């Protein structure tokens, strides 16, 4: 781009707002989930490769770094899922007013946190405590 | 350029053929179709993962290998990697401006998505119909 064209204002100019932050987080969680899906692939491969590799994979995922990774992955998933539904609603023309967009954003944040918490309470109860 | 009077595209833009109307709609629709498919599939899969925490090799294999489950997982993997590469494509197009580096990254991301999708599909098929490893 040799030619200097006028640029629209970017994030360093705007006052930070929830809707803007959520849009950025949606993209960030999307990228994180794409990378995280490799973990899912490796888990499936370890299961396909036999008992020894599967036990090793379970041991790695059950370790503290593994659990932290899975915790982040689960929040990213629920956030991206709920916010994705919010985007689909917008695509259909619903909830585009600012106050509606703010309210649905709060539902997404609280919902993602609640679903993540629920997942891990359920996980802990099934696993019988860490 | 009398012919271009009233046109919204510049002659150069027209010649390059890289305008947003080239394939944007298809991308947009595919991104949303896969999103719609992934919402229920992801919830189902995560719930399955949770209920198989600490499962033995045989239990995990029985879960993934069950024909209905295997089909749903294969569909999820297809939608997941298609959705992921479509999303990453937009991220790259937004932030990488060099023509060459953009092209290389796009090919790399799309190639890797295809590679991991195929790897995962082979794994699921082997678990489901491949017999003992």
């Amino acid at each position: 781009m040799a030619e200097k064209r006028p640029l629209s204002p970017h994030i360093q100019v705007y006052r930070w707002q929830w809707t803007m932050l959520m849009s950025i987080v949606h993209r960030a969680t999307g990228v994180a989930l794409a990378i995280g899906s490799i973990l899912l692939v490796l888990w499936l491969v370890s299961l396909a490769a036999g008992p020894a590799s599967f036990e090793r994979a379970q041991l790695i995922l059950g370790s503290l770094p593994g659990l932290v990774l899975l915790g982040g992955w689960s929040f990213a998933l629920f956030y991206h899922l709920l916010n994705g539904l919010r985007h689909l609603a917008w695509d259909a023309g619903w909830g585009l007013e600012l106050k509606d967009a703010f309210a649905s954003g709060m539902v997404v944040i609280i919902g993602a946190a609640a679903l993540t918490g629920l997942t891990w309470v359920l996980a802990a109860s099934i696993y019988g405590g860490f | 350029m009398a012919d271009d009077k009233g046109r919204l595209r510049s002659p150069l833009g027209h010649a390059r053929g890289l305008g947003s109307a080239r394939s944007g709609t298809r991308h947009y629709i595919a991104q949303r179709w896969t999103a719609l498919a992934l919402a229920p599939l992801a919830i189902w899969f995560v719930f399955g993962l949770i209920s198989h925490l600490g499962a033995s090799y045989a239990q995990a294999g029985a879960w993934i290998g069950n024909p209905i489950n295997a089909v749903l997982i294969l569909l999820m993997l297809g939608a997941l990697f298609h959705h992921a590469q479509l999303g990453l494509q937009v991220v790259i197009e937004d932030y990488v401006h060099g023509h060459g580096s953009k092209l290389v990254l796009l090919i790399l991301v799309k190639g890797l998505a295809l590679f991991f999708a195929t790897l995962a599909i082979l794994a699921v098929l082997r678990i489901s119909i491949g017999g003992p490893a």
Side-chain angles (χ1 to χ4, degrees):
Chain A
M1 294 288 152
E3 207 180 342
K4 275 279 189 192
R5 302 292 303 267
L7 295 168
S8 60
H10 204 46
I11 46 173
Q12 70 272 27
V13 178
Y14 285 118
R15 179 172 60 85
W16 279 86
Q17 310 166 54
W18 279 105
T19 43
M20 164 183 174
L21 178 70
M22 290 194 63
S23 170
I24 294 168
V25 174
H26 188 70
R27 180 163 277 199
T29 50
V31 173
L33 286 168
I35 297 168
S37 64
I38 295 172
L39 206 67
L40 169 65
V41 175
L42 295 181
W43 184 78
L44 287 170
V45 168
S46 79
L47 182 58
S53 66
F54 180 71
E55 293 305 325
R56 196 166 56 236
Q58 292 293 78
L59 218 61
I60 293 168
L61 289 175
S63 70
L64 190 62
L67 288 171
V68 169
L69 210 63
L70 287 175
W73 184 78
S74 60
F75 178 78
L77 178 75
F78 288 127
Y79 179 91
H80 198 82
L81 201 158
L82 291 177
N83 204 47
L85 294 177
R86 181 166 167 249
H87 271 276
L88 288 173
W90 284 337
D91 293 338
W94 299 327
L96 285 164
E97 289 298 320
L98 189 56
K99 69 169 173 37
D100 299 333
F102 181 82
S104 62
M106 289 302 120
V107 170
V108 165
I109 293 173
I110 294 166
L115 283 173
T116 308
L118 188 72
T119 298
W120 287 87
V121 167
L122 211 63
S125 72
I126 287 171
Y127 201 57
F130 298 108
Chain B
M1 291 263 175
D3 291 348
D4 290 312
K5 210 170 179 188
R7 273 199 203 169
L8 294 175
R9 267 172 115 180
S10 70
L12 181 61
H14 189 77
R16 280 183 175 154
L18 295 171
S20 61
R22 192 175 56 132
S23 56
T25 311
R26 189 177 181 180
H27 185 286
Y28 176 95
I29 291 171
Q31 186 85 76
R32 275 140 194 86
W33 261 97
T34 49
L36 271 178
L38 280 171
L41 286 170
I43 291 172
W44 166 79
F45 186 73
V46 166
F47 191 78
L49 272 184
I50 295 168
S51 47
H52 288 85
L53 267 175
S56 69
Y57 169 73
Q59 288 168 325
W63 171 46
I64 303 286
N66 170 287
I68 299 292
N69 293 342
V71 165
L72 289 175
I73 291 167
L74 289 174
L75 290 173
M76 183 187 74
L77 288 167
L80 168 68
F81 280 101
H82 193 40
H83 187 83
Q85 62 91 12
L86 288 169
L88 290 172
Q89 178 193 341
V90 176
V91 174
I92 292 167
E93 286 169 349
D94 279 355
Y95 302 132
V96 182
H97 298 308
H99 187 66
S101 48
K102 182 159 71 185
L103 202 63
V104 168
L105 267 177
L106 283 174
I107 291 169
L108 196 70
V109 159
K110 283 167 186 274
L112 280 176
L114 198 57
F115 171 77
F116 281 112
T118 312
L119 190 63
I121 287 166
L122 179 66
V124 171
L125 288 178
R126 188 166 175 188
I127 294 162
S128 184
I129 56 177

